[in-house]
Amino acid sequence: MDFKMIVSAFLATIAVAGCSNGNNSGNVVWKNYSARFVKDKLNTEIILPDSLFLPHHASKSEIMMMTKSAKVLFCVDVECGTCLGKFHYWKKFALGFRSKYGIDAPILAIVKAENRKYANRIVNDNWTGEWIFDKNSTFIHCNDIEDDRFQAMLLDSDNIIRIIGNPIFNEPLGNLYENTLSKMLSK
């Protein structure tokens, strides 16, 4: 990833908003926190917990997604009504991506819920893409991304974080995801 893309990712992520924290982009404390967070996470390898990604837990297609040259992962707590909007955003993103580039955007939802049956029902009602059940938020805890505003990321073929942040309320960040993903998939 070149320096310009890193700077763009950094600047776009500063304005990221999450479901519980609103838009804090004008807040100096928020800017300092987010700048440090992004700096610490960019260009680091994501941890893929065995409890989620071993064949007896994930399907073959979900495991194969992790070998793609680029993919988006996003976490969603299906017991949070506001968080369900992530499904709508990424579904719309995927449809637009397919329409514009003629290929499917590899997107994997990491779904948290206390009950797998409940998760199945909610996911089936809201999402048509790949997903993995994560009852204990293992993925979030292993990767130290408890802050909802950073529970979406673009990974490269080595599962290195190239972009991190929730683009739902941040159009420039959404554009950065789209442009970077298209470039990485075309290589």
Side-chain angles (χ1 to χ4, degrees), residues 5-181:
M5 287 178 73
I6 291 171
V7 170
S8 296
F10 174 78
L11 293 175
T13 304
I14 288 178
V16 172
C19 69
S20 61
N21 295 310
N23 186 349
N24 297 317
S25 61
N27 183 319
V28 173
V29 173
W30 160 247
K31 286 182 181 180
N32 290 336
Y33 162 75
S34 63
R36 278 191 314 274
F37 192 93
V38 169
K39 182 181 173 193
D40 290 346
K41 294 295 180 185
L42 278 181
N43 300 314
T44 62
E45 186 174 358
I46 202 75
I47 298 169
L48 302 171
D50 289 345
S51 62
L52 301 179
F53 289 96
L54 285 177
H56 61 280
H57 292 289
S59 74
K60 188 174 183 176
S61 62
E62 293 149 353
I63 293 170
M64 289 303 297
M65 179 167 303
M66 297 311 298
T67 66
K68 300 233 182 237
S69 61
K71 57 265 178 194
V72 173
L73 273 62
F74 72 97
C75 303
V76 60
D77 180 347
V78 296
E79 295 170 354
C80 166
T82 304
C83 297
L84 294 178
K86 293 177 183 181
F87 286 130
H88 175 73
Y89 177 86
W90 289 109
K91 189 184 321 182
K92 185 177 174 184
F93 179 95
L95 291 171
F97 194 87
R98 178 154 215 4
S99 174
K100 190 170 183 178
Y101 300 101
I103 56 174
D104 290 326
I107 302 173
L108 178 66
I110 300 174
V111 176
K112 184 213 179 288
E114 291 299 315
N115 180 293
R116 183 165 188 121
K117 286 183 182 179
Y118 178 75
N120 284 336
R121 184 173 60 81
I122 298 298
V123 171
N124 288 335
D125 289 347
N126 293 283
W127 181 244
T128 55
E130 301 292 336
W131 66 284
I132 291 180
F133 180 65
D134 186 9
K135 178 179 181 176
N136 298 316
S137 297
T138 306
F139 181 82
I140 289 170
H141 297 308
C142 285
N143 290 290
D144 192 26
I145 52 171
E146 281 79 9
D147 190 324
D148 178 69
R149 296 169 288 192
F150 299 105
Q151 291 179 3
M153 62 202 65
L154 175 68
L155 306 177
D156 68 11
S157 59
D158 295 321
N159 297 320
I160 304 295
I161 299 171
R162 297 304 178 191
I163 301 174
I164 188 166
N166 183 350
I168 291 177
F169 301 111
N170 186 331
E171 190 175 340
L173 185 57
N175 292 336
L176 183 62
Y177 270 93
E178 178 186 326
N179 295 333
T180 306
L181 183 62

